[in-house]
Amino acid sequence: MPAFSSNSTTWTPTFTNFTFPTYTNTTKNQILTKVEDTVKSFLDNIPLPRWLTVVLMVVGAILILIIVLCLCLKCCRKSKTKEKKDKIGLKGVNGGSTTALVQPEVTDPDYGSSKEFRGKLLYSLDYSVPQSELTVGIKEADSLKAMDLGVSSDPYVKVYMCPDKNKTCETKVLKNTLKPVFNESFTFQVSKAALSKSTVVMQVYDFNRFSKHNIIGEVRLQLENFDWNHVMEEWQDLSEPSRHEEENRGDICFSLRYVPTSNKLTVVILEAKNLKVMDLGGSSDPYVKVQLTLDKRKWKKRKTSVKKRTLAPYYNESFTFSVTFEQLQRVNLVIAVWDYDTMTRNDAIGKIYLGCEASGNQLRHWADMLSNPRRPVAQWHSLLSAQQVDSALNLKRKLPKPPKLPFNGHR
């Protein structure tokens, strides 16, 4: 205990009856011996050779270290991304512009965003007044955003007009390039009066055979203030796609196989996903109708089973048709997804058609089937509206059956 010294005015603490614990070498050796015995008994209980046990422990420790490092890197990237998003550039904005920041005067606040450079597109527009025909030329693109793991993309361009969107055209797919040269043109029938109320949409996509195609960016042109006395051609940066597009109808995956020796065309409906909701309960009862048209007339058809209350049905159902190679040049394959209703008429969710008269990804899938005989070729396709496909096919009515001659028993 501390005490005061009687010969001094200063207080000096003195400690009595207190000793610090002492550790001898013997104690330390005993602790190490216990740890070694515990480790040895643990290793002896493992039914593996000692060297293999040590190797597995080392490998496990390395794997744990790698996982910890990956988690740390991921957390650092997230924090950096959050900091970038939180920084808002207000340079050149004066105090009276609060309204413009909160409520910009545009029809689509998400359209035209310049947050990320997506590339640029060279296009041309030409309108023929006598023919009431607009020609949209897709020339080339440059500096496209890389969408694939190999720091590249497989771009193609989809072209259509709003608000009708009766016709959708697609360019060919160019593999592994960020500077594609297309040099393709598409025509749209539109009157001069309707032209000023129309909008041309050119969307650049990245092609993926076994998954949904990713959109890189788009160019959207309102045609009300254009001078149609000459052909217009210019570069324009791709913008973020508008969120106020026509609702998605879903995607479908199927495979095609043609055997020339037996003249057999086999269509396997594999699955669909992200289908449009058609029922009040927030679901659908989808089935797929497979139809062949020959010379612009309905020819043969089959259909799958109905999958109840799902927007991602799995079918894996196969259909085989007898089609000669000569007929194959004049055949169109129509894949239609329908919603089954017990009490009312079935509703079309979406359609897609393939054949030598198709374009874009549909034509590519058909060409891949022809160039790989006896091999099934599978691919995902985005469904279009039934009106779009029916308008593009422009099917003729069935030939009327010849009238039966009246039976006359007398010669």
Side-chain angles (χ1 to χ4, degrees), residues 111-112 118-125 136 138 140-141 144 157-162 199-204 215-223 226 232 234-242 245:
Y111 174 69
R118 299 169 176 268
K120 55 184 180 178
L121 180 69
L122 177 63
Y123 64 89
S124 66
L125 296 176
V136 181
I138 304 298
E140 58 181 299
L144 293 180
V157 183
K158 183 183 294 186
V159 185
Y160 61 89
M161 293 187 66
C162 292
T199 300
V200 173
V201 182
M202 295 165 279
Q203 295 178 323
V204 183
I215 185 168
I216 301 175
E218 71 173 26
V219 173
R220 189 175 292 259
L221 301 172
Q222 295 182 354
L223 305 179
F226 277 83
M232 190 196 74
E234 68 174 0
W235 285 94
Q236 187 160 329
D237 290 347
L238 296 176
S239 300
E240 185 178 354
S242 172
E245 271 298 323

Side-chain angles (χ1 to χ4, degrees), residues 93-358:
V93 179
N94 49 26
S97 59
T98 308
T99 305
L101 289 173
V102 176
Q103 188 67 32
E105 294 180 350
V106 292
T107 56
D108 184 2
D110 298 311
Y111 174 69
S113 172
S114 57
K115 294 179 183 178
E116 183 181 12
F117 183 69
R118 299 169 176 268
K120 55 184 180 178
L121 180 69
L122 177 63
Y123 64 89
S124 66
L125 296 176
D126 183 22
Y127 184 72
S128 172
V129 177
Q131 298 178 354
S132 297
E133 191 174 79
L134 175 68
T135 302
V136 181
I138 304 298
K139 304 297 183 180
E140 58 181 299
D142 191 18
S143 304
L144 293 180
K145 178 183 175 182
M147 305 294 287
D148 298 336
L149 295 177
V151 196
S152 186
S153 293
D154 303 326
Y156 69 95
V157 183
K158 183 183 294 186
V159 185
Y160 61 89
M161 293 187 66
C162 292
D164 295 335
K165 203 176 178 181
N166 291 327
K167 180 180 179 182
T168 301
C169 304
E170 295 179 5
T171 67
K172 58 182 176 291
V173 179
L174 299 182
K175 304 288 279 185
N176 299 321
T177 178
L178 300 179
K179 297 181 179 181
V181 178
F182 298 102
N183 288 327
E184 297 186 43
S185 60
F186 309 98
T187 58
F188 299 86
Q189 293 293 328
V190 55
S191 64
K192 190 67 180 294
L195 191 65
S196 59
K197 301 177 183 178
S198 300
T199 300
V200 173
V201 182
M202 295 165 279
Q203 295 178 323
V204 183
Y205 280 84
D206 173 48
F207 172 82
N208 294 299
R209 181 177 295 278
F210 300 110
S211 61
K212 185 178 181 181
H213 303 171
N214 299 316
I215 185 168
I216 301 175
E218 71 173 26
V219 173
R220 189 175 292 259
L221 301 172
Q222 295 182 354
L223 305 179
E224 54 185 353
N225 296 321
F226 277 83
D227 181 13
W228 300 110
N229 294 323
H230 60 277
V231 179
M232 190 196 74
E233 181 174 314
E234 68 174 0
W235 285 94
Q236 187 160 329
D237 290 347
L238 296 176
S239 300
E240 185 178 354
S242 172
R243 295 183 183 179
H244 298 290
E245 271 298 323
E246 179 180 302
E247 57 185 329
N248 183 32
R249 296 179 177 274
D251 307 288
I252 186 168
C253 182
F254 55 89
S255 71
L256 302 178
R257 178 173 178 260
Y258 185 70
V259 182
T261 54
S262 59
N263 294 328
K264 297 294 183 182
L265 172 64
T266 302
V267 182
V268 181
I269 304 299
L270 297 172
E271 59 180 314
K273 62 182 180 181
N274 303 322
L275 294 181
K276 181 182 175 182
V277 175
M278 303 296 287
D279 298 336
L280 295 177
S283 186
S284 296
D285 301 323
Y287 69 95
V288 182
K289 186 182 293 185
V290 182
Q291 185 179 59
L292 291 180
T293 66
L294 179 63
D295 296 330
K296 296 290 185 179
R297 287 185 171 88
K298 295 179 181 180
W299 188 29
K300 302 177 180 181
K301 64 179 179 180
R302 303 279 294 278
K303 63 181 179 179
T304 68
S305 58
V306 178
K307 303 297 181 181
K308 293 289 189 178
R309 295 180 294 278
T310 179
L311 300 178
Y314 179 79
Y315 297 100
N316 196 23
E317 299 184 30
S318 177
F319 307 99
T320 301
F321 302 92
S322 295
V323 183
T324 65
F325 188 77
E326 186 274 332
Q327 290 173 330
L328 203 64
Q329 316 303 315
R330 300 179 285 123
V331 159
N332 282 318
L333 171 66
V334 184
I335 306 293
V337 183
W338 290 78
D339 174 50
Y340 176 79
D341 291 316
T342 307
M343 304 300 295
T344 60
R345 186 178 179 182
N346 298 339
D347 300 316
I349 298 177
K351 290 184 178 183
I352 199 77
Y353 82 97
L354 296 84
C356 295
E357 297 178 355

Side-chain angles (χ1 to χ4, degrees), residues 348-406:
I349 298 177
K351 290 184 178 183
I352 199 77
Y353 82 97
L354 296 84
C356 295
E357 297 178 355
S359 62
N361 294 316
Q362 294 88 330
L363 178 61
R364 181 185 180 87
H365 194 179
W366 191 259
D368 287 346
M369 176 198 70
L370 293 177
S371 59
N372 296 278
R374 293 176 293 276
R375 269 185 52 193
V377 181
Q379 186 173 314
W380 280 94
H381 293 272
S382 296
L383 294 172
L384 303 174
S385 67
Q387 293 79 6
Q388 282 181 266
V389 175
D390 293 343
S391 175
L393 288 173
N394 193 22
L395 296 180
K396 301 175 184 178
R397 294 183 178 180
K398 289 184 177 180
L399 289 173
K401 295 181 180 180
K404 294 182 179 180
L405 296 175

